[in-house]
Amino acid sequence: MVDGAGINGGLPDTLRVRTTGPVAVLTLARAAKRNALNDTTVLGIEQFFRTLDPAVRAVVIDADGDHFCAGLDLGEMTERDTLSGVAHSQMWHRVFDGIESGRVPVIAVLKGAVVGGGLELASAAHIRVAETSTFYALPEGQRGIFVGGGASVRVPRLIGVSRMTDMMLTGRRYGAEEGAAVGLSQYVVPEGAGLETALELAGKVAAVAPQTTFAVLQALPRIAEANPRDGFLMESLMAAIAQGTDDAKGRMRDFLDGRAPKVNR
């Protein structure tokens, strides 16, 4: 692995980067604060994705210590007027949209607290691997505030409005297994196995054809949100674009000639 300082210099000391082949690992490095997010860290995440090396084909978001992220660092909250509050929320939206709508798939390694802003960060990733210690919560409802980092858009896509309503109004928490059952993660693994699993998945993701990755990250979310008529048209266009590339033609020839593996149980 290579230290990311030479690739993405200038990141705050609350973040750490390393690369292994086409996979970059971005680590939240505030274990003493349960990796709570301050503005410096959030803007550092934005810088990392904005300056990502073109050779990187997948990103894993990991965290030091026992917790993925306990949310917004309330110790650094300042009183804001209404317009400043809107601007601050929109800054988080911009950063997390850069993850969700960026050019590379992102895999989050979850453990311990995935709370408030931590769940907002996790829900911006494309694949979530939860260790058995993981628990999810949105405590903003008990603190007299409302989510501001994109949870009201992304979390209902994963679990539905009614479940998020329950979390906000009653303080309900989900553990790793129950969270996976309702859609908060795609994988549950033993404690300590999250990073290894995520790196294995990232290796598979990095090998996917660029045109397919583009279609999955950029077209699929729009198709899923479109009315069926528009969705079917976008799907047809994207399918034609992808299969028309030289890469796709080469991969299909390899399959037809028996040089590519078939799908088995």
Side-chain angles (χ1 to χ4, degrees), residues 14-182:
T14 56
L15 296 169
R16 191 171 62 253
V17 181
R18 66 187 188 278
T19 60
T20 174
V23 178
V25 180
L26 176 66
T27 301
L28 306 179
R30 295 189 84 201
K33 290 278 191 177
R34 301 207 303 175
N35 294 309
L37 297 171
N38 56 14
D39 285 356
T40 298
T41 303
V42 173
L43 291 171
I45 292 171
E46 179 177 44
Q47 180 185 348
F48 166 77
F49 281 98
R50 190 177 61 239
T51 61
L52 196 61
D53 190 314
V56 171
R57 298 290 309 280
V59 169
V60 171
I61 300 180
D62 190 26
D64 284 344
D66 297 328
H67 301 278
F68 175 71
C69 178
L72 171 68
D73 188 345
L74 297 179
E76 297 192 9
M77 277 191 76
T78 57
E79 290 189 10
R80 297 182 176 92
D81 61 29
T82 300
L83 289 179
S84 295
V86 169
H88 186 258
S89 175
Q90 290 181 328
M91 182 269 283
W92 280 53
H93 293 165
R94 183 187 74 231
V95 174
F96 292 170
D97 185 63
I99 298 172
E100 183 181 43
S101 302
R103 68 169 184 83
V104 299
V106 178
I107 302 171
V109 181
L110 309 181
K111 55 186 174 180
V114 184
V115 172
L119 181 52
E120 290 177 316
L121 172 59
S123 65
H126 305 99
I127 298 173
R128 287 164 293 282
V129 177
E131 296 187 1
T132 52
S133 64
T134 302
F135 63 92
Y136 307 92
L138 291 170
E140 289 85 350
Q142 282 67 57
R143 293 172 181 159
I145 56 178
F146 191 67
V147 294
S152 62
V153 173
R154 292 190 176 95
V155 174
R157 291 177 186 165
L158 300 177
I159 66 174
V161 173
S162 61
R163 289 193 177 100
M164 180 170 172
T165 299
D166 184 21
M167 293 178 74
M168 291 285 293
L169 293 182
T170 71
R172 179 172 181 171
R173 301 194 314 174
Y174 285 95
E177 295 284 354
E178 193 178 15
V182 300

